[in-house]
Amino acid sequence: MREIKAQDITELVSRLCIDACYNLSPDIYNALKNASERESSPLGRGILKTLVKNADIAHDKEKPMCQDTGMTVVFVRLGQEVHVVGGNLTDAINAGVRDGYQRGYLRKSVVNDPILRENTGDNTPAIIHYDIVPGDKIEITVSPKGFGSENKSDLRMLQPSDGEEGVKDYVMEVVKHAGPNPCPPTIVGVGIGGNFEESALYAKRALLRPVGDRNPKPHLAAIEEELLSRINALGIGPAGMGGDTATLDVHVEAGPTHIAGLPVAVNISCHATRHSEGSL
């Protein structure tokens, strides 16, 4: 059994919050640069180059790349041989979010009740997903998710008879309805299977896969490629101003489901799709 201090977890989460909001991940940065070279619309090319410049400024000046620094989503892979000492794991993660958002001068966007809407003042509580895995490490991914894109996500309980074509048509419906609002070029996460809540989690996790990485299952990789092509053919373009680049990539994750169900969730993310990971 390996002991890990709660304070070390807090410090790691704090650093990851700041890093995710200041630094665009290399895969997305390179995808934006490559898209700016391929984009046929002059206005679209200008917007893509501006997004790259914005990322450079945020990195160099250590500033948030967007004013909406999101609701903090944390994915934790907890080794079953780990014993957290000196505090509670969930409390330690929330303390890290609190510290990171204060030290990084990141906007506090969380309200404590969806009706009364009083701001908590420190961006807590985080949304935390735990996986218990073999080993003696804790792996943490922090993914601040802004609501310009989150508000355009959707979930539908399709029928098994809808099949693959029904899944693809539904994803296209969601993207068309979202239009320019999620700050394109987006990344589109699609979750298929599980039940109501599991399909949404599949879609959320799909956003963390690097741009260009295909699902190892050929039939799902083919769906990703087709949807990527169809979405970019809509003409939405960067910032919704028209062009070839409505999305940088489409990632599909799927899992077992009930014989009577075909849940599908679409989680759209903005061009930044912020995330940062570390381990102890």
Side-chain angles (χ1 to χ4, degrees):
M1 185 68 68
R2 180 183 176 196
E3 292 187 349
I4 294 180
K5 296 177 182 179
Q7 182 58 36
D8 291 341
I9 296 168
T10 293
E11 292 174 0
L12 173 61
V13 170
S14 177
R15 292 197 303 272
L16 294 178
C17 287
I18 295 171
D19 181 61
C21 290
Y22 285 7
N23 300 306
L24 196 60
S25 63
D27 61 308
I28 296 176
Y29 183 86
N30 290 329
L32 288 171
K33 290 187 72 174
N34 292 336
S36 71
E37 296 170 0
R38 297 190 308 266
E39 176 60 55
S40 63
S41 162
L43 178 57
R45 282 197 303 275
I47 291 169
L48 290 167
K49 290 178 180 179
T50 298
L51 293 176
V52 172
K53 183 178 180 181
N54 180 75
D56 289 336
I57 293 171
H59 171 76
D60 293 343
K61 294 188 176 295
E62 297 185 336
K63 303 289 184 183
M65 68 185 80
C66 175
Q67 82 279 4
D68 184 355
T69 51
M71 195 169 189
T72 314
V73 182
V74 183
F75 294 93
V76 180
R77 287 171 53 85
L78 177 64
Q80 62 185 6
E81 302 302 324
V82 168
H83 177 52
V84 177
V85 297
N88 173 275
L89 175 55
T90 298
D91 290 345
I93 291 170
N94 278 312
V97 172
R98 184 179 301 113
D99 182 69
Y101 273 70
Q102 294 286 2
R103 288 196 305 112
Y105 297 97
L106 308 177
R107 194 181 81 182
K108 290 79 175 177
S109 303
V110 175
V111 297
N112 63 1
D113 184 283
I115 304 301
L116 301 179
R117 308 196 73 80
E118 180 182 355
N119 198 295
T120 63
D122 56 15
N123 225 57
T124 67
I127 296 174
I128 308 172
H129 302 289
Y130 291 107
D131 282 334
I132 309 300
V133 298
D136 63 354
K137 295 194 300 182
I138 296 179
E139 298 174 350
I140 297 176
T141 300
V142 171
S143 180
K145 187 69 161 64
F147 266 55
S149 58
E150 191 77 350
N151 283 339
K152 295 303 174 181
S153 302
D154 204 75
L155 187 154
R156 184 174 295 174
M157 305 301 287
L158 298 182
Q159 300 299 313
S161 58
D162 292 321
E164 179 181 323
E165 292 305 312
V167 171
K168 291 185 290 192
D169 289 346
Y170 169 60
V171 174
M172 293 302 298
E173 177 187 328
V174 174
V175 172
K176 288 177 185 177
H177 181 262
N181 294 295
C183 300
T186 61
I187 293 178
V188 180
V190 180
I192 309 172
N195 59 357
F196 179 82
E197 74 272 14
E198 189 74 2
S199 62
L201 189 53
Y202 287 152
K204 182 73 73 177
R205 290 184 187 278
L207 296 174
L208 302 179
R209 200 196 312 158
V211 171
D213 275 16
R214 288 285 155 256
N215 191 296
K217 295 183 178 180
H219 68 291
L220 297 179
I223 292 174
E224 292 174 341
E225 292 283 3
E226 180 179 340
L227 286 173
L228 177 61
S229 177
R230 289 174 63 179
I231 291 170
N232 282 330
L234 292 173
I236 294 170
M241 302 299 289
D244 310 316
T245 317
T247 187
L248 297 175
D249 213 349
V250 178
H251 296 155
V252 177
E253 297 292 336
T257 191
H258 192 276
I259 56 172
L262 181 58
V264 184
V266 182
N267 196 209
I268 300 178
S269 191
C270 69
H271 80 273
T273 309
R274 293 161 296 191
H275 55 280
S276 185
E277 57 188 35
S279 63
L280 293 169

